[in-house]
């Protein structure tokens, strides 16, 4: 797993309780792997947005992830609610994921991650501004 270079991001991950920290690091690795595999994504910025680990590629929409104490048995990947990302994900993967409104894919602590489907969603977010004009974002 790639080292977290941003000390603020590293502290955010360190603040998650075990085993949620491992699950959050798995989401991070999925984002990093997807960025490396997605054509046109040359660099990925890892930062803290609203106290949550966030990821942004040029031409993409920010992806955030977090675990919250008020819902201790779940964690989530967040997308900009002013985009068509979640609506598209619901159309394509409505039977695969659990959603929170128009902003998040939510995972239960015992859920198996559907990695291929999640990577597809991450790829669409990382290239959003290049595909937002396409039906279903080109999915």
């Amino acid at each position: 797993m790639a080292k977290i270079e941003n000390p603020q991001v590293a502290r955010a991950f360190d603040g998650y309780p075990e085993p949620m920290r491992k699950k959050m690091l798995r989401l991070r690795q999925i984002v990093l792997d997807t960025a490396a595999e997605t054509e046109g994504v040359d660099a990925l910025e890892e930062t803290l947005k609203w106290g949550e680990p966030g990821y942004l590629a040029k031409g993409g929409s920010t992806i955030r992830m977090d675990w919250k104490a008020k819902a201790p048995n779940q964690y989530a990947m967040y997308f900009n609610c002013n985009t068509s990302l979640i609506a598209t994900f619901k159309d394509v993967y409505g039977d695969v994921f659990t959603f929170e409104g128009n902003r998040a894919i939510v995972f239960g602590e015992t859920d198996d991650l559907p990695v291929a489907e999640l990577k597809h969603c991450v790829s669409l977010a990382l290239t959003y501004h290049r595909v937002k004009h396409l039906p279903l974002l080109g999915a």
Side-chain angles (χ1 to χ4, degrees), residues 63-89:
I63 301 167
R64 294 178 294 115
M65 57 186 70
D66 202 18
W67 168 88
K68 298 182 187 312
K70 67 181 179 183
N73 298 323
Q74 66 183 40
Y75 57 111
M77 186 173 282
Y78 297 92
F79 302 87
N80 186 322
C81 62
N82 294 316
T83 67
S84 60
L85 287 164
I86 292 290
T88 300
F89 303 161

Side-chain angles (χ1 to χ4, degrees), residues 2 11 17 56 63 72 74 77 83-84 96 100 102 108 111 118-119 139:
R11 279 192 295 279
L56 180 62
I63 301 167
Q74 66 183 40
M77 186 173 282
T83 67
S84 60
V96 175
E100 181 182 299
N102 65 344
D111 291 351
L118 185 56
K119 287 176 87 171

